[in-house]
Amino acid sequence: MKRIFDIVSSFFGLMAFGWLILLLTVAIARDSPGPGLFAQKRVGKGERVFVCYKLRTMASDTVSAASHETPRSAVTRLGAVLRRWKLDELPQLWNVLKGDMSFVGPRPCLPMQEMLIEERRKRGVFALRPGITGLAQVQGVDMSEPERLATIDAAYAARRTIWLDLKLILQTMTGRGRGDRVA
């Protein structure tokens, strides 16, 4: 049921917002040097590494690191707006359609975030597809707290339902999903 919801919703989401993704990609490329679209390796279901797509919100020469380890000065002017409204996540609809991600699940981490990977491994979190949003994001917990994050991810895994997913999506859309903070 969840996968069917993901496929149908991401397909229609891409149809509805494809024009916006294209427009923002061009705007980002004009606002600061570098491409508008950003691709980064992330760890997904079964600890499989996949390429996650986002709209670029940081300077293109920013070192690849977790958001909480990245200086606030790396975020571009337009990037700050995209992050506030979560528009930088729109290209992840493609990841959802492909099956790398789900709308709701643990946020995918970087392969270098070894402590978070270990905490998630201990709690069986990698049995799930990562999500665009999740219980931890709505609660304001980001990747700077690996043990706490993995515990909340495991709690989501234990009680996930389509109704909980819809509630978390609605809470994210109305401003509760804060995303990862920068340093």
Side-chain angles (χ1 to χ4, degrees), residues 47-141:
E47 297 188 49
R48 185 179 66 80
V49 175
F50 70 98
V51 176
C52 182
Y53 297 98
K54 295 182 76 164
L55 292 172
R56 182 174 57 82
T57 61
M58 298 187 188
S60 59
D61 61 350
T62 303
V63 172
S64 183
S67 293
H68 65 277
E69 296 172 347
T70 305
R72 186 175 303 279
S73 62
V75 178
T76 65
R77 184 174 46 91
L78 180 56
V81 174
L82 295 175
R83 290 169 75 92
R84 184 173 341 117
W85 293 98
K86 299 168 202 66
L87 295 173
D88 60 318
E89 311 286 352
L90 282 174
Q92 290 177 34
L93 291 171
W94 176 248
N95 289 109
V96 173
L97 186 62
K98 284 178 36 182
D100 293 328
M101 292 180 67
S102 180
F103 270 96
V104 180
R107 288 293 295 149
C109 62
L110 299 168
M112 67 183 73
Q113 291 179 287
E114 295 171 9
M115 185 181 292
L116 178 56
I117 290 169
E118 183 56 35
E119 293 297 330
R120 284 180 167 173
R121 185 181 294 135
K122 282 194 268 187
R123 291 167 178 79
V125 173
F126 288 115
L128 304 176
R129 279 188 179 90
I132 295 175
T133 191
L135 183 60
Q137 285 67 42
V138 170
Q139 292 182 1
V141 178

